[in-house]
Amino acid sequence: MAHPRMYDPVDPLLGRVREIALALPGAAEKESHGRPVFFTQKVFAYFGGSIRIDGDWVAHDHAIVFFPDPEERPALAADDRIWIPAYLGPYGWLGLDLTSDSDFDEVAELLEVSYRMTAPTRLVASLDD
């Protein structure tokens, strides 16, 4: 059974994330587990996620889930805006909720770092060219 879609395809926040993510070399988008996923050979970002609090699922529908540089992870995790997503959190991934007032330069930086951590060397090299 396929997961139900858990996002609005014309969501303006998704549109901004999509624009940033798909500008990275070789990046593509697919739907996985009902959410938009951005990837090259490996996933580098999700739009939306969830956490489990006291046994209940709490959705973060307007968020990015990203893979930070391990050296930056402790500082990011200490930020009150950051949360640890279910399933991916134990592997080092973090989440950041988005609003229309979000700093999309910061979002772009987080997505680029996640991309650099997961993309093939040749694509990262093309980003640096």
Side-chain angles (χ1 to χ4, degrees):
M1 173 187 237
H3 285 269
R5 181 171 278 169
M6 294 187 278
Y7 68 98
D8 178 354
V10 296
D11 181 323
L13 293 173
L14 171 57
R16 294 197 65 188
V17 169
R18 183 179 281 139
E19 182 180 336
I20 294 165
L22 295 179
L24 296 166
E29 178 182 352
K30 64 182 174 183
E31 187 174 298
S32 179
H33 297 88
R35 296 197 182 275
V37 175
F38 301 95
F39 68 99
T40 58
Q41 290 179 351
K42 295 180 181 179
V43 172
F44 67 88
Y46 295 84
F47 182 76
S50 60
I51 59 174
R52 198 164 195 155
I53 299 176
D54 298 326
D56 293 323
W57 287 104
V58 177
H60 289 257
D61 291 332
H62 295 98
I64 57 166
V65 176
F66 61 96
F67 190 68
D69 182 320
E71 292 181 9
E72 296 174 5
R73 190 179 189 286
L76 287 166
D79 188 323
D80 290 340
R81 302 169 303 146
I82 300 291
W83 47 276
I84 299 174
Y87 303 113
L88 297 170
Y91 299 99
W93 291 72
L94 297 173
L96 172 68
D97 289 318
L98 303 175
T99 67
S100 59
D101 294 331
S102 291
D103 178 351
F104 279 88
D105 289 336
E106 176 186 36
V107 170
E109 183 178 317
L110 294 172
L111 291 176
E112 181 180 322
V113 169
S114 189
Y115 173 91
R116 287 177 180 277
M117 298 299 298
T118 60
T121 305
R122 66 179 168 75
L123 291 177
V124 173
S126 71
L127 182 64
D128 292 333
D129 288 340

